[in-house]
Amino acid sequence: MGRRVTSEDPQLTLREAQDEVDHWIQTIGVRYFSELTNLAQLVEEVGEVARVISRTYGEQSFKPSDEKVELSDELADVLFVLICLANQTGVDLTDALKRNLDKKTKRDATRHQQNEKLK
């Protein structure tokens, strides 16, 4: 394991994030939850993001219990569980994202420019 990443670090690569989450799981979290449990956790966290966005940018109002909730924290919860799933299933997120962006670039090279709904 390389350097320890802190909240003061200006940047964090996906590889470092995967290593940091794994270190946290091994030292504080005891072990990874099962993949199915983490999938349920991911869905739950995405629901919390949806709640914040619907209250911030949509028509719903905040409940008193939701007023101090921050979108950044909820997105970080999603990212944490997503990284857990990647780690426990052997997915290198850096490689996966690069391949995904390449696929989208080739597939959608002109598609969005030609979409009248986006103009």
Side-chain angles (χ1 to χ4, degrees):
M1 172 111 197
R3 69 183 177 93
R4 293 268 44 98
V5 177
T6 67
S7 60
E8 290 80 32
D9 286 335
Q11 296 181 351
L12 177 69
T13 67
L14 286 172
R15 177 73 263 149
E16 289 169 335
Q18 285 192 251
D19 290 344
E20 284 298 311
V21 168
D22 188 64
H23 178 61
W24 187 92
I25 292 293
Q26 302 302 325
T27 59
I28 297 171
V30 180
R31 67 171 179 79
Y32 286 95
F33 294 140
S34 73
E35 294 84 352
L36 287 175
T37 298
N38 273 334
L39 176 61
Q41 288 294 122
L42 181 62
V43 171
E44 180 181 325
E45 298 298 350
V46 168
E48 292 175 14
V49 168
R51 182 174 48 246
V52 171
I53 289 178
S54 73
R55 284 162 171 71
T56 303
Y57 303 101
E59 285 74 38
Q60 285 204 348
S61 60
F62 279 93
K63 298 178 205 174
S65 61
D66 290 337
E67 288 178 353
K68 295 188 192 249
V69 176
E70 293 186 28
L71 179 59
S72 61
D73 191 46
E74 299 305 333
L75 287 170
D77 286 342
V78 168
L79 185 58
F80 181 88
V81 179
L82 184 68
I83 290 171
C84 285
L85 281 166
N87 283 352
Q88 66 192 133
T89 58
V91 172
D92 178 321
L93 286 172
T94 300
D95 181 57
L97 183 59
K98 285 178 181 178
R99 286 184 288 112
N100 189 269
L101 287 170
D102 186 52
K103 174 188 75 175
K104 285 176 174 34
T105 299
K106 289 175 183 168
R107 181 190 67 203
D108 300 330
T110 61
R111 178 174 156 227
H112 297 300
Q113 287 81 13
Q114 296 171 355
N115 183 347
E116 289 298 319
K117 297 176 188 177
L118 297 177
K119 293 182 181 180

